[in-house]
């Protein structure tokens, strides 16, 4: 007999379609309750991240960036080195914030590229 604490939960997230991952065995699946997930709103995520990086035109930029990522994902080959998921989107948005801060510190000139 194992005592359980009411305020503790164990969550198992699975992504079996991802490279190198496998399905959970059936005998373990019965021990966990399934939870439905929804596709995240990439536009809203991008908008909030851009605002958090100090970019005031985040509302307009987020839609364009997300659309670019979706077009790249649908039009480019499905090779593993092409990644246009949320991690890649987040990396790009954080880099944009870093470039903006760098431009503000260096009077607008970042590695030969003018940012306004």
């Amino acid at each position: 007999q194992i005592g359980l604490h009411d305020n503790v939960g164990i969550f198992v997230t699975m992504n079996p379609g991802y490279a190198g991952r496998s399905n959970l065995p059936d005998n373990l699946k019965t021990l966990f309750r399934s939870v439905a997930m929804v596709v995240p709103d990439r536009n809203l995520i991008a908008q909030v991240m851009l605002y958090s990086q100090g970019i005031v035109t985040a509302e307009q930029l987020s839609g364009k960036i997300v659309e670019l990522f979706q077009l790249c994902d649908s039009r480019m080959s499905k090779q593993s080195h092409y990644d246009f998921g949320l991690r890649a989107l987040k990396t790009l948005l954080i880099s944009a914030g870093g470039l903006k801060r760098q431009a503000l510190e260096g009077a607008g000139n970042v590695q030969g590229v003018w940012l306004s």
Side-chain angles (χ1 to χ4, degrees), residues 5-111:
H5 194 282
D6 291 340
N7 295 328
V8 175
I10 297 174
F11 299 90
V12 176
T13 56
M14 299 293 296
N15 194 355
Y18 212 69
R21 308 265 171 88
S22 59
N23 286 325
L24 196 63
D26 289 334
N27 61 340
L28 289 177
K29 280 184 189 178
T30 59
L31 300 174
F32 296 98
R33 186 181 324 160
S34 294
V35 177
M37 303 293 284
V38 295
V39 176
D41 184 352
R42 291 173 185 236
N43 197 24
L44 181 60
I45 292 169
Q47 185 178 339
V48 169
M49 288 200 67
L50 285 170
Y51 276 131
S52 72
Q53 295 295 326
I55 298 174
V56 294
T57 57
E59 200 167 338
Q60 295 84 18
L61 281 177
S62 63
K64 292 177 183 180
I65 293 169
V66 169
E67 185 178 357
L68 174 67
F69 264 62
Q70 289 172 338
L71 282 171
C72 288
D73 191 36
S74 66
R75 305 270 170 120
M76 291 185 167
S77 66
K78 300 299 176 195
Q79 296 179 27
S80 61
H81 59 272
Y82 290 136
D83 179 17
F84 299 101
L86 280 174
R87 279 192 197 117
L89 180 62
K90 181 180 176 186
T91 301
L92 175 84
L93 298 173
I94 290 172
S95 296
L99 283 172
K100 178 183 168 96
R101 284 186 296 281
Q102 196 176 354
L104 290 174
E105 292 168 1
N109 193 2
V110 178
Q111 298 174 356

